[in-house]
Amino acid sequence: MVLFKKRKKKNNLLKKTDQTQVEGPLIFSDMNDNLTYIKNHLNHTADLKIQTIRNGDFETAIVFIETLVDKELIQDKIIDPLFQLKSFKDREDIATVINLETISCSNLSQAVNDLINGNTLLFVSTRAYAFSVNTQKFGNRSITEPSSEKVVRGAHDGFIESLGVNIQLIRKRILNPNLTVKYFSVGKETKTKVALLYMNQLANTYLITEIERRIDSISTDFIMPSSYLEELIEDSSFSPFPQMLNTERPDRTMANLLEGRVVLLVDNTPTALILPVTFFSFYQSPDDYNSRFFLGTFFRIVRLLSFSLAVGLPSLYIAIIAFHYEVLPDQLILPVKSSVENIPFPPLLEALIMLITIELIQEAGIRLPTTIGQTIGIVGGLVIGDAVVSAGLISNTMLVVVAITAISSFVVPSTEMSGSMRIIRFPFMLAAATMGFIGIVFCFMVILIHLCKLESFGTPYFAPLTPLRITDFKDSILRLPIWKLNNRPLDPHPQQLKQQSNSRDWGKDDEK
Amino acid sequence: MKGLKYLLVLLCLLFLSGCWDQNPLKDSSLAMASSSDLRSDGKLLYAASFPRSTQGGKGGSQQQIVEIVSATANTPREAQMKIDSKISGTFDSSKLRVLLIGEALAKQDINLFLDVLYRNPKTALSARPAVVEGMAIDLINLKLIGGEEISKYLINSMQSLQDLTIVNHENIESIFAKMLDPGQDFLIPYIKLDKNKSRASVKGLAMFHGNKYSGKHLTVDQSIMYHLMENEKGKMARFTKKVISSPRPSMNNYITVNVKKMKRKLKVEVKKSGEINAHIHLNLKMDVIEYPHNRLASKEEIPKLNEMLSKELTKEAKTVIKKIQEANCDGLGIGRRIIAFYPNRWKKLNWEVDYPKIQIIPSVHVEIISHGITD
C-alpha cells in the first residue's frame, strides 16, 4: 500500500513536468533547424556547446551547457560509445549504447528545459526526436559539521547546498519505506525545488494537506534561502518567536521526523525547516541525547534559565537601580551604590549603550574573517569594557549584568531564538525604566499571553505548558532516560503516539 | 503620518521614561543607622549615619567614609527633613538596619516616634531596635577602628549574640504586633557604651511594658534564661556556674555548660478562685564545655552536678521571673494564653495591675549528656 502510494506520487511528479512543457514546437526533422532554435532560445549563450559527430551512416549532434555538465561523463558515456555504433536504426540502439538515464523527447521547449537542468541533448540527423541524457554535475561542498550547531558527541555531518544529498542524508538514517518525499517547484522564475519530507503513517494528514495548500499558494518570482519559504507559510509573521525550527543537522531532522513532524528542504540551502514546533524545541540540542540523562536534563534547565536571564536581567537591574533598591540585601547595597554613584546616565540609557555596543561588536564580528574577528573581540570586549568603566561612563555592575545577559543569549542552541531574545529584551528594559517591577510584570504577561496564543501550523506553540500535559515534560523541559520515553510528544498530533514498548525487558529476565 | 506620531511617542518614552517617578539609587542617601534621643526641653534629637564611598578610581580601592548628621526637631519626620537639607541626595530610610533609642525617649511611648516608619511602605521592617543607656547619639557618633560603619558593627555583634541566645531577633515589624497586643510585651537589646567610649556592648535586654521602656533590663545571663523560658534557643546557650566551694584556685570551682537540647512546658491555669498560676518547666540537656575540676568519669559526679545545676538554674529563672514581673513586662506572653484559653477570666482582669501579682513558678531540670572529648 505504502509502496503503491509512493510510486503514484512519483508518477504525478513526472506528469506535472510533462504538463508544463506541452506548449512549444515539436522537434524538427532537420537537425540544423533544431540547433538554431536552441541557440536562439538560449540567446546564443556562450557556454552552450554543440558537437557534431559523423559516424557511419548517420550524424549526431551533442548539445549541452558546459557549465552544468560533467564533461568526462559525456566523453566516456556518450561520445565514445557513439563512435562504436556503426549503424543507427531506431531509438533502442542509442538507449542500449548509452549507459545513462536517457529519455527521448519530441518537444523542443522541453528539450531546452532539460538543457538548462544540465542534461545533454542528442539529435540524430533526420529524426524528429531527441535524446535527453542526464549528465548533471554540480560542484558540491563536502559534507561538514555545521558550524552553528556543533556537538561534542554524535554525528558530525551536516546538510549541504544540494537537495539530493540532503535527502540522501536523511534517507540513510531512516531506512523505512514510509519516509515520503514530495517535490514542489516554487518561484515563477527560478523554479526552486522544495522537498516536503514526512513519515507517511506517522505525520498528521491534516498537517500535510495544510502545508501543501500553503506552499501551493506561494506566488513569487524567486525564493532564495529557506527563510523566504518560512516567512511565506508561517502563521504569525509579526511574532518575535520563530515558528519553524531551522537546523543543518540530519540527526536532529531525523529525530523530528520520527516524532511525526514534517521537514521542508529547499534546494541550494543547507537548512531544513522543521514544523510544527514548540517553544521548547528551540532549547533542545542533539547533545542532550548524546550525554547521560542527568546532564541532558541539567543543560536543558540551564538553557531555559538562560532565557529568563537574557530577557529579564537587564530590565531587572534597571528596575532595581531606578526604583526598588530596597530589595537589595544590606551587604550588597553599598557596593552597588558606590558603583553607580558617579555614572552620568540614567540606568536605562546606561544599559542601552552597553547592550547596543555588544550588538555592534557581534555584528562586526560575524562578517569578518576569523583573524580580524579576534581583534574585534579584544577591542570590543576588553578595551571598551575596561575603558568604559574607568572613564566613569558605565558602572561595574552594569557591565557584569550586560556580560551575563550577552552570554545567556548565546546559550540557546538555535540562532533565531537567540535573535528573538535579543529583541524582546528592549521592550522589557523600557517598561522597567518606566514602571519598575510592575513594568516587567506587564511585559512578561504580554509575552506569556502571546506565547499561549501562538500556533505553529495548528499546534500550540507553548505546549506542553499550555495546554498543560505533564507527561510531555519528560522530553521537553526535562530529558528523562530514553527507556522512559514511551510516547511521542503530543504537540504535532502524530498518528501513533506510542514509540516504544518496554525496551529494558531484559531486566525482568535477569531477576528470574 | 500616523506612524510618525507613534514613533514620536515611543521616542519620548525612550528618553523620558520614568523621569518623574524614578527613585534612582545614586540620588539617594541611605541611612543605615539612626539614633533618637529626648532632649531635656522635650524636643527630639535625631541623628543618622550615612556610609559614603569615595571614588577610588580603578581597581575598586574605594574608601568608606561614614557621615553622621543630626538635627533637632519636634518629630522624626521633621528631623529627617532637616537632615535632608544638610546632606547630598534624598534621605532614605529603606535600608535602615539599626534603630537606636535613647533611654529617656524609650521611657516615653515609642510608638509615637516609630509611626513615621510604619507609615512608609518602603521602610526596612527588618531594622533592629535597641535601647541605649544614656544618649543614643553618643553611640552613633562612636569612632570605630578602621572607620567601620556603626550599623555593621552593631548588627554583626547582635548576630553573634543571637547565636549565643543573648539577643532575640526582634525587629521593628515584630515589635509592632507585640505593641498592639495587650497580652504580650517585648524585650529589645540594651546597649551600653564603654567608659572610654571606644566600644559598645550589649548588656542584656531592655524590658518594655506596652510601648514604654520600664527602665529595667535583664543581665546577659538572665537574658539567656529568659530566652530559654520563652522556648527560643540560638545555636548555643551557655551558663557558667559555681559548683564547688574550695577556696583556691577559684577557677577550679566553676563549670560551664551549654544547652544542647531543650524542652519547655508552659502551663497557665486559672483556678476556680480566679487565681492565676503559670508553671514553666524547662528540661535542659547539657554539654559540659569547661570543667577544670574534671571528675566527670565518676558515676556519682554527674547526678550531683545535675542536681546542683538544676538548683542554680531554677534560682536564676526565679530571679528572671521576679524581674520581669517587677518591670510589668509580659515577655513570656502569659496574657496571650489567658486571652486564648480563658477569655472570660481575661475580661475581668486588669492585666496592667494583675500581671505582677500572678504566680509564675519556674522549674529547671538539667541533665548532662556529654562532656566533650576528655572526661
Side-chain angles (χ1 to χ4, degrees):
Chain A
M1 170 71 191
V2 179
L3 276 169
F4 172 70
K5 256 190 178 171
K6 204 174 126 193
R7 209 167 276 161
K8 206 172 139 195
K9 267 162 210 158
K10 268 194 177 167
N11 289 341
N12 280 344
L13 187 77
L14 283 175
K15 262 183 212 157
K16 224 177 187 176
T17 44
D18 286 347
Q19 275 164 4
T20 51
Q21 307 305 334
V22 152
E23 301 295 311
L26 296 174
I27 291 176
F28 307 112
S29 51
D30 184 0
M31 201 168 76
N32 286 332
D33 284 353
N34 288 329
L35 297 182
T36 333
Y37 178 88
I38 291 172
K39 275 185 203 160
N40 284 335
H41 229 74
L42 290 172
N43 306 317
H44 297 274
T45 177
D47 53 356
L48 178 72
K49 293 285 171 212
I50 298 171
Q51 204 172 345
T52 48
I53 300 168
R54 191 179 291 274
N55 182 30
D57 60 343
F58 66 101
E59 192 184 8
T60 47
I62 298 168
V63 185
F64 56 89
I65 296 174
E66 63 170 351
T67 44
L68 288 176
V69 297
D70 186 350
K71 279 190 219 157
E72 265 179 47
L73 198 72
I74 292 176
Q75 183 66 43
D76 291 353
K77 299 277 165 107
I78 301 176
I79 299 178
D80 287 352
L82 274 180
F83 273 119
Q84 285 158 21
L85 196 70
K86 293 299 172 215
S87 65
F88 178 81
K89 285 187 199 87
D90 70 359
R91 299 181 191 203
E92 289 303 310
D93 289 342
I94 295 281
T96 46
V97 165
I98 296 170
N99 252 339
L100 289 171
E101 183 193 336
T102 311
I103 309 163
S104 80
C105 61
S106 55
N107 187 303
L108 261 179
S109 294
Q110 198 207 331
V112 170
N113 217 46
D114 283 358
L115 209 56
I116 292 168
N117 274 325
N119 285 14
T120 301
L121 293 179
L122 201 69
F123 292 98
V124 185
S125 53
T126 71
R127 303 293 160 104
Y129 53 83
F131 298 99
S132 163
V133 189
N134 189 352
T135 52
Q136 278 177 354
K137 189 200 179 182
F138 297 117
N140 276 339
R141 185 162 65 93
S142 61
I143 297 173
T144 50
E145 178 162 32
S147 57
S148 57
E149 285 176 276
K150 285 202 167 132
V151 294
V152 181
R153 237 176 97 182
H156 292 291
D157 52 354
F159 289 135
I160 60 166
E161 283 78 1
S162 154
L163 185 63
V165 175
N166 291 352
I167 294 177
Q168 188 205 358
L169 285 174
I170 297 171
R171 275 216 182 267
K172 227 172 65 183
R173 287 182 157 79
I174 308 175
L175 304 174
N176 187 329
N178 275 342
L179 176 61
T180 313
V181 181
K182 276 189 184 176
Y183 284 119
F184 298 87
S185 115
V186 182
K188 273 186 252 162
E189 301 294 331
T190 55
K191 308 244 184 314
T192 312
K193 234 181 181 182
V194 173
L196 173 73
L197 278 79
Y198 58 93
M199 295 301 289
N200 190 28
Q201 284 175 338
L202 195 58
N204 195 298
T205 43
Y206 292 105
L207 177 68
I208 293 159
T209 35
E210 176 62 22
I211 294 168
E212 280 174 16
R213 196 172 71 90
R214 289 192 192 180
I215 293 177
D216 282 339
S217 81
I218 294 177
S219 146
T220 175
D221 278 356
F222 72 109
I223 54 164
M224 209 170 54
S226 55
S227 55
Y228 273 51
L229 190 67
E230 194 178 335
E231 274 187 42
L232 291 172
I233 63 172
E234 73 189 348
D235 289 77
S236 332
S237 281
F238 285 108
S239 166
F241 296 102
Q243 293 140 54
M244 279 175 237
L245 182 64
N246 279 344
T247 182
E248 293 186 28
R249 301 194 58 88
D251 48 356
R252 206 175 181 185
T253 314
M254 177 206 77
N256 278 296
L257 274 173
L258 288 174
E259 278 183 357
R261 294 180 212 276
V262 171
V263 172
L264 281 174
L265 287 166
V266 181
D267 202 5
N268 305 318
T269 319
T271 324
L273 292 176
I274 295 168
L275 58 147
V277 284
T278 63
F279 177 76
F280 297 100
S281 359
F282 292 93
Y283 288 88
Q284 300 173 356
S285 154
D287 256 347
D288 300 344
Y289 301 96
N290 296 337
S291 44
R292 297 188 68 78
F293 89 94
F294 291 116
L295 274 177
T297 302
F298 174 68
F299 285 130
R300 275 208 184 154
I301 290 169
V302 166
R303 281 189 216 121
L304 282 173
L305 186 78
S306 85
F307 174 78
S308 30
L309 275 184
V311 169
L313 192 63
S315 48
L316 195 71
Y317 177 76
I318 292 173
I320 288 176
I321 297 302
F323 288 91
H324 317 280
Y325 49 81
E326 63 271 8
V327 301
L328 287 179
D330 289 345
Q331 281 85 352
L332 198 61
I333 186 105
L334 287 178
V336 172
K337 184 170 162 54
S338 67
S339 83
V340 298
E341 201 108 64
N342 295 315
I343 307 300
F345 305 115
L348 174 67
L349 218 55
E350 197 190 345
L352 277 181
I353 290 172
M354 256 356 259
L355 282 173
I356 287 172
T357 313
I358 293 250
E359 298 292 316
L360 285 179
I361 294 170
Q362 203 195 328
E363 273 303 300
I366 287 175
R367 269 162 270 287
L368 281 176
T370 37
T371 38
I372 311 177
Q374 284 174 351
T375 327
I376 288 289
I378 292 166
V379 172
L382 299 178
V383 177
I384 294 183
D386 194 47
V388 106
V389 170
S390 44
L393 297 176
I394 306 289
S395 66
N396 278 321
T397 27
M398 184 75 239
L399 216 59
V400 173
V401 165
V402 166
I404 292 175
T405 311
I407 290 172
S408 356
S409 63
F410 294 124
V411 173
V412 198
S414 146
T415 36
E416 313 97 77
M417 188 49 104
S418 127
S420 32
M421 284 190 327
R422 272 152 61 194
I423 291 294
I424 299 172
R425 129 187 358 145
F426 290 103
F428 268 85
M429 282 158 57
L430 220 60
T434 327
M435 285 173 284
F437 282 162
I438 302 167
I440 299 180
V441 170
F442 275 148
C443 265
F444 257 116
M445 263 167 62
V446 170
I447 292 284
L448 204 65
I449 291 170
H450 175 69
L451 277 173
C452 293
K453 198 175 148 281
L454 196 61
E455 281 185 3
S456 161
F457 292 85
T459 75
Y461 190 65
F462 211 38
L465 271 185
T466 50
L468 186 68
R469 193 176 139 87
I470 290 170
T471 40
D472 277 358
F473 279 21
K474 283 194 225 167
D475 193 22
S476 53
I477 293 166
L478 311 173
R479 200 288 263 177
L480 290 194
I482 302 293
W483 47 269
K484 279 271 185 195
L485 311 172
N486 286 339
N487 286 338
R488 295 171 217 280
L490 185 69
D491 61 271
H493 292 282
Q495 290 180 31
Q496 297 163 334
L497 208 55
K498 194 168 177 176
Q499 69 181 359
Q500 66 180 8
S501 37
N502 194 1
S503 298
R504 283 172 71 91
D505 229 13
W506 50 266
K508 281 181 194 159
D509 297 343
D510 282 359
E511 277 166 26
K512 285 169 194 167
Chain B
M1 262 336 271
K2 211 176 173 188
L4 200 73
K5 223 193 278 173
Y6 284 122
L7 199 73
L8 210 71
V9 171
L10 274 177
L11 271 179
C12 287
L13 204 67
L14 192 65
F15 291 110
L16 299 174
S17 61
C19 272
W20 53 93
D21 51 14
Q22 267 187 6
N23 179 21
L25 176 61
K26 61 180 175 188
D27 294 346
S28 61
S29 276
L30 301 172
M32 302 294 262
S34 78
S35 77
S36 318
D37 286 296
L38 191 68
R39 287 199 338 177
S40 48
D41 59 357
K43 283 201 171 186
L44 179 79
L45 176 60
Y46 190 86
S49 95
F50 304 94
R52 307 219 182 269
S53 58
T54 53
Q55 191 73 9
K58 246 168 91 176
S61 59
Q62 286 153 347
Q63 277 196 319
Q64 283 249 319
I65 307 168
V66 183
E67 189 182 0
I68 287 149
V69 185
S70 62
T72 310
N74 295 311
T75 65
R77 184 53 105 189
E78 195 189 4
Q80 284 177 8
M81 291 189 303
K82 279 186 178 172
I83 289 177
D84 216 344
S85 64
K86 291 183 194 176
I87 55 169
S88 76
T90 37
F91 180 93
D92 190 293
S93 60
S94 65
K95 292 314 286 183
L96 200 64
R97 298 169 83 187
V98 194
L99 196 73
L100 301 170
I101 310 166
E103 213 175 349
L105 185 70
K107 281 177 183 163
Q108 287 199 329
D109 189 348
I110 60 162
N111 194 19
L112 295 179
F113 90 100
L114 288 177
D115 179 80
V116 62
L117 295 175
Y118 295 133
R119 239 168 243 289
N120 181 359
K122 284 195 167 187
T123 298
L125 288 173
S126 59
R128 283 161 173 253
V131 173
V132 182
E133 192 194 60
M135 295 291 270
I137 195 159
D138 292 338
L139 179 56
I140 208 168
N141 272 322
L142 195 67
K143 292 273 172 292
L144 291 162
I145 300 157
E148 198 182 6
E149 212 267 320
I150 185 81
S151 71
K152 196 177 166 194
Y153 168 73
L154 287 176
I155 286 286
N156 285 352
S157 94
M158 277 193 215
Q159 255 153 13
S160 66
L161 292 176
Q162 201 176 316
D163 290 346
L164 295 171
T165 329
I166 296 166
V167 165
N168 47 19
H169 50 74
E170 220 74 272
N171 55 32
I172 59 174
E173 185 196 8
S174 65
I175 65 165
F176 188 56
K178 289 180 183 171
M179 258 195 277
L180 297 177
D181 190 349
Q184 206 168 11
D185 290 317
F186 59 91
L187 293 89
I188 56 177
Y190 184 77
I191 301 175
K192 193 182 170 187
L193 260 169
D194 284 357
K195 269 175 197 155
N196 52 6
K197 297 210 167 173
S198 66
R199 297 220 149 253
S201 54
V202 174
K203 288 288 172 202
L205 292 173
M207 293 180 280
F208 273 68
H209 168 62
N211 303 341
K212 290 178 189 137
Y213 172 45
S214 62
K216 294 187 182 86
H217 70 270
L218 296 175
T219 63
V220 171
D221 269 6
Q222 288 164 352
S223 300
I224 299 175
M225 184 44 88
Y226 160 73
H227 284 309
L228 293 182
M229 284 196 283
E230 218 198 346
N231 206 8
E232 262 179 48
K233 188 173 92 67
K235 281 180 194 158
M236 289 164 282
R238 293 167 178 164
F239 294 99
T240 302
K241 291 287 167 212
K242 190 173 180 184
V243 283
I244 303 164
S245 43
S246 66
R248 88 198 106 134
S250 70
M251 210 181 275
N252 204 16
N253 298 345
Y254 289 88
I255 184 169
T256 308
V257 283
N258 177 29
V259 179
K260 277 200 135 174
K261 281 183 196 165
M262 63 169 289
K263 244 184 203 151
R264 181 204 71 160
K265 272 185 199 153
L266 171 59
K267 213 171 152 192
V268 180
E269 52 175 12
V270 177
K271 288 189 179 158
K272 277 195 182 139
S273 57
E275 197 185 320
I276 296 165
N277 278 339
H279 293 274
I280 301 172
H281 182 72
L282 272 178
N283 200 345
L284 306 177
K285 302 231 159 117
M286 299 281 211
D287 174 22
V288 177
I289 51 174
E290 191 183 38
Y291 188 47
H293 188 64
N294 199 6
R295 290 232 187 92
L296 291 169
S298 71
K299 268 189 181 171
E300 301 86 46
E301 187 76 359
I302 286 179
K304 208 174 88 193
L305 280 172
N306 282 346
E307 200 183 316
M308 265 168 135
L309 281 171
S310 300
K311 220 159 110 192
E312 280 289 321
L313 291 177
T314 308
K315 209 166 85 192
E316 177 99 52
K318 276 180 182 156
T319 337
V320 174
I321 297 287
K322 200 179 153 207
K323 261 190 149 173
I324 60 171
Q325 275 189 307
E326 269 172 15
N328 204 352
C329 166
D330 188 5
L332 298 169
I334 290 166
R336 184 77 253 152
R337 285 178 184 247
I338 297 174
I339 295 173
F341 299 120
Y342 307 98
N344 292 329
R345 179 77 184 96
W346 175 261
K347 275 174 204 152
K348 287 179 211 143
L349 279 173
N350 182 0
W351 198 238
E352 298 270 310
V353 185
D354 292 333
Y355 171 66
K357 292 180 200 157
I358 64 164
Q359 281 271 329
I360 305 175
I361 305 136
S363 67
V364 183
H365 176 76
V366 173
E367 192 186 330
I368 292 171
I369 55 165
S370 63
H371 45 74
I373 52 173
T374 55
D375 292 341

